[in-house]
Amino acid sequence: MEKKVRVRFAPSPTGGLHLGGVRTALFNYLFAKKHNGSFILRVEDTDQTRFVEGAEEYIVNCLNWCGLTPDESPQNPGAFGPYRQSERKPSYRQYAEQLVASGYAYYAFDTPEELNEKRSAQPNFLYGQQTRMQMRNSLTLSQTETSELLASGTPHTIRIKMPANEQVSFNDMIRGVVSFDTNLVDDKVLLKADGMPTYHLAVVVDDKAMEISHAFRGEEWLPSAPIHILLWEYLGWKDSMPQWAHLPLILKPDGNGKLSKRDGDRLGFPVYAMNWTDPKTGDVTKGFKEMGFMPEAFVNLLAMLGWNDGTDKEIFTLGELIASFSIDRISKAGAKFDFEKAKWYNHEWIKTASAEVLAPSVKTDLQSLGIEVADNAYLLKVIDMVKDRCTLLGDFASQAAYFFAIPTAYDVASVKPKWSAAKGEFFQEFAAGLQDGATATDWEAQFKALAESKGFKPGELMLPLRIMLVGGKFGPGVFDIANVLGKVETQKRIALGVEAFS
């Protein structure tokens, strides 16, 4: 019987969620949904020194914002819990001790001071085949000494005993066959002195317990693969081992190395999904959500970082991504992050979004400008008029504010040099002749006919009219704006504009 697809996203609750982490979650989610499987959130909180209060809730909020809701999680447990590693602590020691008993691991009693001394004396020191017999561990101590140290509660770790002269190979779903020389891999700690497992032991024990079928993770974990594969073998679980896929890195815009938070700070764009507030310092790191990205656009752009469906199609809904997703279309090479392209995705999504979807965000931004929107139908009409001009959701405030409030300042400098009393009279006459119930086309025809009769080219009068209505050189068609504002409001703004320019 074919194994049911069960995949996991397993972040550590140590801070903000990097867009690379969200992409890992997304690829897990797409694969699970494509194969009618389960997408699981497992919180890897075994490193208590790096644990940050509120980080787990933040991760859950990020996934929910993106629409990547887990089928099983600490908040929505299934039959394979607990879903936090810290709550599974007793199980790890059992397996670590099993590895020691079968000769695949050993107790190490070296103190942190002794290890630091060794590192100082030997540059690039690795605890492994070349050095393990120089250290204080159950391989160099007698069985009696080891038993006494354990009985007296001496702090110790448990390390894997890497074999000599072996090749560890596996088939990566993205990279094909990958091989490692065990002579180049050190004896990683499996169980720390505090009884907590390291990632290496925990990921294997948890994947087995949760019946994970496929493991997607970043390329930076590739060097750890031989340790994990040997653990699956040493624990007698090789037949249950998930299939591996190591995802390409998301690179800096210049392609030179992995994209980091510092790069975002330096270049002025976010690398986190949502705003992250450091609970210790209060420092806020900006996220894509708060910068004005739609979740659909964020998910879409992440999917295209290292994957495509083999066509020129770039805009995908989540449903379309699920239908089109396949592992063989994921690139082995890293994907450069291009913020201008990211904004393009957002602009495309804003253009196709309904005014109803956009309205809550726009209303909130207008309120921040002191503008209360009473007429919802009017707001929807305005949104549809200006959305093609908005790249980020925050752009709506400036692009739409003049529909709700008379401009507080005018771009007088663009009008004044060519302004004349005759033009002022023209606008007063035009305003007086506006009729209720007329269309934008009617007003445009009236404007052009009057301009011609006064000896003006309509083009030279359009910019002053625009600035009277909106305050600057922007916005949709000027007669469309006037028509939405209505006769009375347009007349009022023309009068104020003539005064400002005269």
Side-chain angles (χ1 to χ4, degrees), residues 161-444:
K161 185 181 177 187
M162 289 300 289
N165 309 317
E166 284 188 20
Q167 286 285 316
V168 175
S169 300
F170 73 98
N171 188 57
D172 187 281
M173 293 161 73
I174 296 169
R175 295 155 201 283
V177 176
V178 185
S179 297
F180 296 89
D181 179 352
T182 56
N183 293 325
L184 304 176
V185 184
D186 55 326
D187 293 355
K188 297 289 187 196
V189 172
L190 302 179
L191 199 75
K192 293 178 282 191
D194 63 1
M196 278 291 194
T198 60
Y199 174 75
H200 305 297
L201 178 64
V203 73
V204 172
V205 170
D206 291 348
D207 282 354
K208 166 66 175 168
M210 292 183 165
E211 297 181 11
I212 300 302
S213 62
H214 299 77
F216 295 79
R217 59 186 183 181
E219 181 187 323
E220 62 268 35
W221 288 108
L222 206 49
S224 302
I227 299 146
H228 303 160
I229 287 158
L230 287 175
L231 287 174
W232 279 96
E233 186 181 319
Y234 292 165
L235 289 165
W237 301 335
K238 199 168 184 181
D239 292 345
S240 306
M241 187 170 74
Q243 293 183 59
W244 300 92
H246 288 84
L247 305 172
L249 296 175
I250 297 178
L251 305 174
K252 302 173 198 278
D254 62 5
N256 189 19
K258 183 181 173 183
L259 180 71
S260 72
K261 176 183 167 297
R262 285 188 301 278
D263 297 316
D265 294 342
R266 179 171 55 86
L267 298 168
F269 58 76
V271 298
Y272 287 169
M274 290 167 59
N275 274 11
W276 166 251
T277 304
D278 187 309
K280 288 180 183 163
T281 65
D283 291 343
V284 177
T285 304
K286 199 150 197 178
F288 279 86
K289 177 179 185 278
E290 290 76 10
M291 184 164 263
F293 275 76
M294 294 184 69
E296 297 88 349
F298 183 57
V299 165
N300 192 164
L301 73 91
L302 286 184
M304 306 306 283
L305 285 171
W307 174 87
N308 66 73
D309 72 340
T311 72
D312 292 332
K313 182 175 165 71
E314 291 187 277
I315 303 298
F316 289 85
T317 64
L318 190 55
E320 287 170 336
L321 286 171
I322 292 167
S324 304
F325 189 72
S326 65
I327 299 296
D328 58 4
R329 297 298 313 172
I330 296 178
S331 167
K332 296 182 187 69
K336 289 184 201 174
F337 180 72
D338 179 348
F339 188 56
E340 291 308 309
K341 185 70 175 182
K343 288 194 291 186
W344 175 85
Y345 278 107
N346 205 52
H347 182 51
E348 293 300 307
W349 271 95
I350 284 175
K351 285 195 297 186
T352 57
S354 71
E356 285 82 2
V357 165
L358 297 166
S361 167
V362 177
K363 198 178 270 192
T364 301
D365 285 346
L366 287 171
Q367 283 170 342
S368 71
L369 297 177
I371 297 169
E372 290 297 332
V373 179
D375 184 342
N376 207 53
Y378 181 71
L379 173 67
L380 298 181
K381 186 189 285 190
V382 168
I383 289 171
D384 276 329
M385 281 186 72
V386 302
K387 67 183 184 182
D388 282 9
R389 289 169 165 73
C390 299
T391 299
L392 301 170
L393 291 175
D395 295 342
F396 277 96
S398 60
Q399 290 290 342
Y402 57 84
F403 281 103
F404 301 90
I406 291 171
T408 53
Y410 297 99
D411 180 4
V412 175
S414 295
V415 176
K416 197 96 173 174
K418 294 182 179 178
W419 184 253
S420 66
K423 285 184 179 176
E425 288 165 12
F426 164 83
F427 278 106
Q428 287 167 338
E429 193 173 330
F430 170 66
L434 291 174
Q435 297 295 314
D436 281 320
T439 65
T441 308
D442 294 334
W443 283 3
E444 183 174 6

Side-chain angles (χ1 to χ4, degrees), residues 6-230:
R6 289 177 56 78
V7 300
R8 69 343 189 236
F9 174 52
S12 299
T14 56
L17 186 55
H18 187 279
L19 59 92
V22 185
R23 190 193 60 174
T24 299
L26 173 62
F27 284 179
N28 271 290
Y29 180 90
L30 296 177
F31 186 79
K33 299 305 164 190
K34 173 91 177 194
H35 298 283
N36 298 313
S38 298
F39 169 60
I40 297 143
L41 172 65
R42 183 174 75 216
V43 178
E44 303 204 334
D45 59 347
T46 55
D47 190 344
Q48 295 296 294
T49 60
R50 295 179 65 227
F51 175 80
V52 176
E53 198 65 47
E56 180 187 317
E57 184 185 2
Y58 166 86
I59 289 164
V60 171
N61 290 341
C62 287
L63 292 179
N64 287 341
W65 176 64
C66 292
L68 308 178
T69 308
D71 299 300
E72 300 168 27
S73 67
Q75 292 70 32
N76 180 36
F80 296 86
Y83 292 85
R84 292 184 191 94
Q85 283 186 335
S86 58
E87 294 170 12
R88 307 173 75 93
K89 184 177 174 180
S91 66
Y92 301 117
R93 177 166 285 281
Q94 168 197 338
Y95 294 113
E97 296 284 1
Q98 180 184 321
L99 289 164
V100 174
S102 51
Y104 295 122
Y106 57 92
Y107 301 111
F109 299 97
D110 319 276
T111 65
E113 294 74 25
E114 287 168 341
L115 289 170
N116 286 335
E117 200 176 302
K118 201 75 175 170
R119 290 186 189 107
S120 300
Q122 280 187 38
N124 304 318
F125 168 77
L126 288 179
Y127 201 130
Q129 292 170 43
Q130 310 301 320
T131 57
R132 63 169 76 115
M133 299 311 289
Q134 305 161 20
M135 309 302 289
R136 206 157 66 95
N137 54 52
S138 57
L139 302 176
T140 58
L141 299 169
S142 69
Q143 196 171 339
T144 304
E145 287 174 301
T146 299
S147 299
E148 285 173 356
L149 288 169
L150 292 173
S152 64
T154 303
H156 62 279
T157 61
I158 293 179
R159 290 179 178 270
I160 188 171
K161 185 181 177 187
M162 289 300 289
N165 309 317
E166 284 188 20
Q167 286 285 316
V168 175
S169 300
F170 73 98
N171 188 57
D172 187 281
M173 293 161 73
I174 296 169
R175 295 155 201 283
V177 176
V178 185
S179 297
F180 296 89
D181 179 352
T182 56
N183 293 325
L184 304 176
V185 184
D186 55 326
D187 293 355
K188 297 289 187 196
V189 172
L190 302 179
L191 199 75
K192 293 178 282 191
D194 63 1
M196 278 291 194
T198 60
Y199 174 75
H200 305 297
L201 178 64
V203 73
V204 172
V205 170
D206 291 348
D207 282 354
K208 166 66 175 168
M210 292 183 165
E211 297 181 11
I212 300 302
S213 62
H214 299 77
F216 295 79
R217 59 186 183 181
E219 181 187 323
E220 62 268 35
W221 288 108
L222 206 49
S224 302
I227 299 146
H228 303 160
I229 287 158
L230 287 175

